[in-house]
């Protein structure tokens, strides 16, 4: 597999991460402080939107598994067909409608559409890994290229969004440090006026950011289409038959390595989503870092981007299960940031969190092809199960992330979050600290504990590779 093919494949996945990163870091604060919908309604938007994407995963897997081979492949047509609709839904997801009463329905509709359409992209795109090469090293290398570009895409998305929309969240009178006995009037002073006019400054900067990211989306898909050639199931024998979707789904749910891998990273990805979804809110309202949040987000993502090659070398030398220990590095530093909110410490925490996030992004996508190979060895005369593995994995991680984000937004509603004010109540601040520190730490530790029982080792990977080569 040529370096050019790996690079084009990796670039194709970056736009999805650019858009997803902007939504992960900024959608919750946009809904609360710009669109001025209640935290409860924001929790509904976030949960139902993620759930719609999750429900689309098995449906996408089902229809893609039924697809016939075309001149450009079996998976590539799906990637190309959903792209224009994804761009349109993404743009309207950040548009502020002039009416107030129907805003919740507006954002719910377009966020759900965006999540469903990105699923129709992500399932065939991620399954494409299995149709680039039969060699494990080639696939691992392509995955490392892909994750490096996806982390760079996450960085570009957060940086673009952060720099363009930062002015929408800055208010001069909120930067003054109040005394301990702050008056109630200062508490209730709006830091951002209600931008009910879609031509207000706050609304304009979010639409500009959406337009820029939509352009990046289009560019990445063109590179993917021109630079990647899909192979027609390089694993299958001529006598093999396609596994029916329902039967294949039942078999995957009984496959021990897959169940353990999915359960582990279900918890870990939920922890990362909670960190991303609440980080800007935490910096703005709980840590006194209102004017630094965009630079902290960039620090996290630069650290993640530059550390992906390090983690790729690490897992090649010490094994993939051993590399998972790096995910736990963020725990003590996040707890320190919550207990000692300091600017220098915040940047250090951002750097270490980036290292951990890179490991959490790279490992599941590097380990999933090993699980698929293991399944292939146990079911040697079936084909077409790759999309089932990838679609059901994304389904579970999206559902868990949706539940986590929905509960976190509902928690802010319960503790009395007020959109657009300078200082939130002590209960809201405590909730944000728990969502950044304690809750992700518990989820990560549980996920790593489950991963201890993951049965595929470096030795068994080599044995599987040899057995599959003999079978072919």
């Amino acid at each position: 597999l040529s370096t050019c093919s790996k690079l084009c494949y990796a670039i194709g996945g970056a736009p999805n991460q650019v858009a997803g990163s902007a939504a992960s870091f900024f959608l919750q604060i946009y809904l609360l402080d710009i669109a001025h919908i209640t935290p409860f309604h924001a929790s509904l938007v976030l949960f139902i939107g993620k759930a719609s994407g999750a429900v689309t995963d098995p449906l996408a897997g089902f229809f893609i598994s039924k697809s016939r081979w075309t001149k450009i492949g079996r998976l590539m047509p799906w990637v190309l067909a959903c792209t224009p609709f994804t761009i349109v839904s993404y743009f309207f997801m950040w548009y502020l409608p002039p009416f107030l009463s129907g805003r919740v329905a507006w954002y719910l509709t377009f966020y759900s559409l965006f999540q469903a359409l990105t699923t129709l992209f992500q399932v065939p795109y991620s399954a494409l890994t299995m149709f680039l090469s039969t060699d494990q090293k080639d696939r691992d290398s392509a995955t490392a290229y892909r994750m490096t570009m996806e982390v760079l895409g996450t960085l570009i998305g957060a940086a673009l969004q952060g720099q363009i929309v930062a002015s929408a969240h800055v208010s001069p009178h909120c930067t003054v440090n109040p005394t301990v006995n702050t008056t109630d009037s200062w508490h209730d002073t709006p830091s951002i006026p209600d931008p009910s006019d879609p031509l207000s400054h706050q609304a304009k900067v979010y639409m500009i950011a959406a337009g820029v990211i939509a352009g990046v989306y289009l560019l990445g898909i063109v590179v993917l289409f021109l630079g990647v050639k899909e192979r027609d199931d390089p694993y299958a024998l001529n006598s093999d038959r396609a596994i029916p979707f329902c039967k294949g789904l039942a078999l995957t749910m009984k496959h021990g390595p897959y169940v353990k891998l999915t359960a582990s990273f279900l918890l870990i990805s939920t922890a990362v989503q909670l960190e991303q979804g609440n980080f800007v809110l935490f910096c703005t309202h709980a840590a006194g870092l209102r004017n630094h949040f965009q630079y902290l987000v960039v620090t996290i993502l630069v650290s993640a981007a530059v550390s992906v090659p390090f983690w790729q070398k690490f897992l090649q030398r010490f094994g993939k299960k051993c590399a998972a220990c790096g995910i736990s590095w963020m725990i003590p530093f996040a707890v320190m940031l919550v207990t000692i909110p300091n600017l220098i410490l915040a940047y250090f925490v951002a750097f270490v969190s980036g290292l951990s996030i890179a490991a959490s992004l790279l490992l599941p996508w590097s380990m999933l092809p090993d699980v698929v190979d293991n399944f292939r060895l146990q079911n040697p005369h079936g084909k077409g199960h790759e999309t089932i593995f990838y679609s059901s994995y994304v389904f579970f991680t999206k559902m868990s992330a949706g539940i986590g984000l929905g509960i976190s937004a509902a928690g802010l509603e319960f503790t009395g979050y007020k959109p657009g004010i300078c200082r939130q109540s002590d209960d809201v601040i405590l909730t944000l600290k728990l969502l950044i520190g304690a809750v992700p730490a518990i989820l990560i530790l549980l996920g790593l504990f489950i991963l201890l029982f993951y049965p595929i080792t470096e030795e068994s990977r080599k044995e599987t590779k040899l057995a599959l080569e003999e079978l072919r």
Side-chain angles (χ1 to χ4, degrees):
L1 198 63
S2 69
T3 301
C4 180
S5 293
K6 295 176 189 175
L7 195 57
C8 290
Y9 173 64
I11 290 171
N16 224 24
Q17 301 304 314
V18 172
S21 167
S24 294
F25 280 106
F26 291 95
L27 184 59
Q28 182 160 284
I29 197 169
Y30 170 80
L31 294 174
L32 294 174
D33 285 1
I34 305 300
H36 280 210
I37 67 175
T38 67
F40 174 73
H41 288 136
S43 71
L44 288 180
V45 171
L46 294 170
F47 171 70
I48 296 174
K50 284 283 186 182
S52 68
V55 170
T56 310
D57 281 300
L59 294 175
F62 174 77
F63 288 112
I64 292 168
S65 68
K66 299 288 184 182
S67 300
R68 294 182 178 182
W69 180 262
T70 68
K71 290 182 179 180
I72 59 172
R74 186 164 62 92
L75 303 173
M76 193 67 76
W78 287 88
V79 172
L80 297 177
C82 67
T83 298
F85 302 102
T86 306
I87 292 172
V88 171
S89 63
Y90 180 80
F91 181 81
F92 282 110
M93 189 175 82
W94 299 100
Y95 175 73
L96 188 71
F99 45 83
L100 292 172
S101 58
R103 281 187 187 176
V104 175
W106 176 277
Y107 292 114
L108 183 59
T109 299
F110 284 105
Y111 185 54
S112 298
L113 272 175
F114 173 71
Q115 287 294 330
L117 289 164
T118 52
T119 294
L120 288 176
F121 171 91
Q122 190 67 30
V123 170
Y125 171 76
S126 55
L128 192 59
T129 310
M130 304 300 296
F131 297 93
L132 298 176
S133 172
T134 57
D135 186 78
Q136 286 183 351
K137 287 186 177 179
D138 269 348
R139 291 201 314 256
D140 285 349
S141 178
T143 300
Y145 272 80
R146 171 191 159 195
M147 297 318 300
T148 302
M149 289 306 301
E150 288 193 355
V151 172
L152 282 172
T154 306
L155 166 62
I156 291 167
L160 279 175
Q161 188 88 358
Q163 293 302 317
I164 295 172
V165 309
S167 60
H169 298 282
V170 173
S171 179
H173 69 272
C174 283
T175 59
V176 179
N177 292 324
T179 59
V180 177
N181 296 321
T182 308
T183 62
D184 290 338
S185 61
W186 194 87
H187 267 269
D188 295 332
T189 303
S191 63
I192 302 164
D194 185 355
S196 55
D197 180 7
L199 298 178
S200 66
H201 171 71
Q202 290 82 12
K204 277 183 179 178
V205 293
Y206 269 97
M207 282 191 287
I208 290 169
V212 171
I213 290 174
V216 173
Y217 218 113
L218 193 59
L219 180 64
I221 300 305
V222 170
V223 171
L224 175 68
F225 174 68
L226 296 178
V228 174
K229 184 179 180 181
E230 181 184 344
R231 298 176 62 182
D232 187 8
D233 201 346
Y235 298 89
L237 307 174
N238 291 332
S239 59
D240 289 351
R241 295 182 178 181
I243 299 175
F245 181 82
C246 293
K247 180 182 177 182
L249 187 60
L251 288 172
T252 58
M253 292 301 103
K254 295 176 183 176
H255 192 58
Y258 179 71
V259 171
K260 292 180 177 66
L261 180 71
T262 302
S264 173
F265 281 96
L266 181 149
L267 295 169
I268 292 169
S269 64
T270 303
V272 173
Q273 285 284 331
L274 284 174
E275 291 272 359
Q276 287 183 331
N278 293 285
F279 187 77
V280 176
L281 282 169
F282 172 79
C283 290
T284 303
H285 298 299
L289 302 171
R290 180 184 293 270
N291 295 327
H292 295 272
F293 70 81
Q294 67 268 38
Y295 306 113
L296 289 167
V297 168
V298 169
T299 303
I300 291 173
L301 297 173
V302 168
S303 170
V306 299
S307 62
V308 168
F310 161 76
W311 286 117
Q312 177 64 13
K313 294 289 185 184
F314 187 95
L315 64 86
Q316 286 177 344
R317 182 166 183 179
F318 298 104
K320 297 178 181 180
K321 286 180 69 174
C322 186
C325 67
I327 300 171
S328 63
W329 291 357
M330 73 167 74
I331 296 174
F333 296 103
V335 172
M336 286 172 64
L337 178 62
V338 167
T339 52
I340 316 168
N342 175 276
L343 182 59
I344 296 174
L345 179 62
Y347 277 100
F348 188 67
V349 170
F351 174 77
V352 176
S353 295
L355 297 178
S356 297
I357 288 171
S360 71
L361 290 174
L362 176 63
L363 280 170
W365 296 112
S366 181
M367 297 166 87
L368 200 52
D370 301 335
V371 173
V372 175
D373 276 351
N374 183 270
F375 181 85
R376 160 74 70 176
L377 193 60
Q378 295 182 20
N379 301 270
H381 296 293
K383 64 178 182 178
H385 56 276
E386 292 84 3
T387 52
I388 300 172
F389 273 97
Y390 281 88
S391 63
S392 53
Y393 173 79
V394 177
F395 166 78
F396 287 118
T397 52
K398 278 190 177 179
M399 276 300 286
S400 64
I403 292 170
L405 289 173
I407 290 174
S408 72
L412 293 175
E413 167 83 15
F414 180 75
T415 52
Y417 182 92
K418 294 181 180 179
I421 66 171
C422 287
R423 181 177 172 82
Q424 300 292 336
S425 68
D426 291 340
D427 289 340
V428 171
I429 292 171
L430 176 61
T431 303
L432 288 170
K433 288 181 176 180
L434 291 174
L435 292 172
I436 287 292
V439 177
I442 293 169
L443 292 174
I444 288 170
L445 291 174
L446 286 173
L448 292 176
F449 177 74
I450 294 171
L451 199 62
L452 291 174
F453 302 97
Y454 175 70
I456 297 178
T457 61
E458 297 306 301
E459 190 64 31
S460 67
R461 283 181 68 223
K462 294 176 183 177
E463 293 172 359
T464 300
K465 178 183 177 182
L466 291 172
L468 285 175
E469 285 176 355
E470 284 187 22
L471 183 66
R472 292 186 196 107

